[in-house]
Structure formats: C-alpha cells, structure tokens
C-alpha cells in the first residue's frame, strides 16, 4: 500500500520525471521511505524531511540525497539550499495542517504538491506559493482502475525484482510477543514496518 500510494501520487498525479527534485515530508514513515526508493528508481532526487535530526542518518542510508530536519532548520531555506536556490519540483506531503503555507515556500514557482495524508489534523493553512499546483491523492481511485493498477503493479514488480524497492523493517516480533509489538508501536517512532511472524 505504501508503495502504491507513493507511486500513484508522484508519478500518476505529479508526473515525476528523472532529475526532478522531490521533497518528501514524513520521510521516516512507510509512504515516505517508499517515495525515496521510487524517486531513486526513476532517477529523481529525493530530499527527505523529518522532524527529528536523529533520523537523518537512517534516511540517508535509505537513499535520500539530502535530509532536512525541521527541529534544527527552516524547511524553505533548506529546500532552496538543496535545490540550488530554485525550490523543489514536487513536494509529497503526508502532513498538511498549518505548516502547509511554510512548506509551499519550498517549492519552485510552478511546482507541484501531492498531498497523500493528513498527519496533522489541524486545519491546513493556505499555500504561500500562488503558482503551486496541488493534487489530493487517494490511492483507492487508482486501485479500482484496472489500467492504472496494472501499470503501477508492473512498475513495483520491476523494482522488487531488481532490488531497488525494499520495504524497510524496523523490528520483527513473534506472534507470542504481540502485546510487546503493540507497545513498541505505541511508544516508539519506528523507522520502518513492524512485522509479526507466526
């Protein structure tokens, strides 16, 4: 699901191409990590955004070309620095909320924002970049369209076959440790999926 969402938003809606500079919010999450890998598979430049500088190294290891940690730097200024002063071609945003106006400043004029989630439930602020094209992406519409679903499935299968797409697993628990797995999920900030094996 994470890979389908990331591909659908970046390629099907935002039209990501090789060389595009792609800013990915909530990059430590499932969709964010999938987006980093998909951008690399296509030849785009993934710039990961995280709230915690402690996660920067793991995002670089995951394939991000650069990481912006918002606990220590301004997202708009950092995005300009990492894009040679131009701004991101595409922003993949899973956060929304009142930070949307500031986030929109990280895009180039005429850039695109694909919103794939709403992790911040507060009302979204109006984008500060008037030339920004915004797509609200929900993967269900693409999943029920057989032509799009086949296209996405072919891309993802090729990525898995070549090893470019690799789901990130944070921890593995046995079914006997299911309570511990739930506690870990509730109290930690996993860097990938939590897997439970029978």
């Amino acid at each position: 699901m994470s890979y389908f969402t990331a591909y659908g938003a970046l390629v099907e809606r935002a039209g990501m191409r090789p060389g595009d500079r792609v800013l990915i919010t909530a990059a430590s999450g499932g969709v964010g990590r999938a987006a980093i890998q998909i951008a690399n598979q296509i030849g785009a430049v993934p710039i990961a955004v995280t709230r915690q500088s402690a996660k920067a190294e793991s995002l670089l290891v995951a394939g991000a070309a650069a990481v912006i940690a918002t606990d220590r730097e301004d997202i708009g200024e950092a995005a300009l620095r990492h894009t040679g002063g131009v701004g991101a071609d595409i922003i993949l945003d899973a956060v929304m909320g009142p930070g949307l106006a500031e986030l929109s400043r990280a895009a180039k004029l005429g850039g695109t924002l694909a919103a794939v989630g709403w992790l911040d439930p507060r009302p979204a602020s109006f984008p500060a970049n008037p030339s920004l094209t915004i797509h609200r992406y929900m993967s269900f519409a693409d999943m029920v369209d057989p032509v799009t679903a086949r296209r996405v499935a072919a891309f993802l299968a090729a990525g898995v076959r070549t090893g470019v797409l690799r789901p990130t697993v944070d921890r593995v628990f046995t079914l006997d440790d299911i309570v511990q797995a739930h506690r870990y999920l509730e109290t930690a900030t996993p860097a990938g999926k939590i897997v439970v094996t029978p």
Side-chain angles (χ1 to χ4, degrees):
M1 287 303 302
S2 298
Y3 285 87
F4 198 109
T5 299
Y7 177 89
L10 288 172
V11 179
E12 296 290 326
R13 290 300 178 278
M16 182 175 67
R17 297 171 301 196
D20 280 347
R21 292 149 309 191
V22 183
L23 194 72
I24 302 164
T25 68
S28 296
V31 172
R33 287 179 178 266
I36 290 169
Q37 293 176 18
I38 289 168
N40 280 322
Q41 184 176 0
I42 287 181
V45 180
I47 302 167
V49 178
T50 180
R51 291 178 297 155
Q52 302 169 353
S53 52
K55 293 186 176 183
E57 185 59 33
S58 74
L59 290 168
L60 290 169
V61 169
V67 177
I68 298 170
T70 59
D71 63 352
R72 68 175 183 219
E73 54 192 333
D74 176 80
I75 195 167
E77 292 172 7
L80 288 174
R81 188 175 66 251
H82 292 301
T83 60
V86 177
D89 298 290
I90 298 171
I91 296 174
L92 180 71
D93 183 35
V95 180
M96 295 289 281
L100 183 62
E102 181 183 358
L103 179 63
S104 72
R105 290 184 13 250
K108 73 175 189 179
L109 289 175
T112 302
L113 183 140
V116 295
W118 207 305
L119 292 173
D120 188 333
R122 297 174 295 172
S125 54
F126 194 78
N129 181 338
S131 68
L132 192 63
T133 299
I134 300 175
H135 298 281
R136 179 77 177 113
Y137 182 75
M138 300 183 82
S139 58
F140 180 75
D142 284 345
M143 286 180 184
V144 297
D145 174 23
V147 174
T148 305
R150 274 195 305 275
R151 186 169 51 242
V152 175
F155 177 88
L156 298 179
V160 169
R161 256 192 330 273
T162 61
V164 176
L165 302 182
R166 300 170 315 282
T168 304
V169 175
D170 181 83
R171 285 192 59 188
V172 177
F173 294 88
T174 66
L175 190 54
D176 293 337
D177 295 324
I178 191 69
V179 173
Q180 184 183 357
H182 278 279
R183 285 190 183 126
Y184 180 73
L185 182 62
E186 292 168 3
T187 61
T189 52
K193 298 295 183 185
I194 296 176
V195 176
V196 177
T197 60

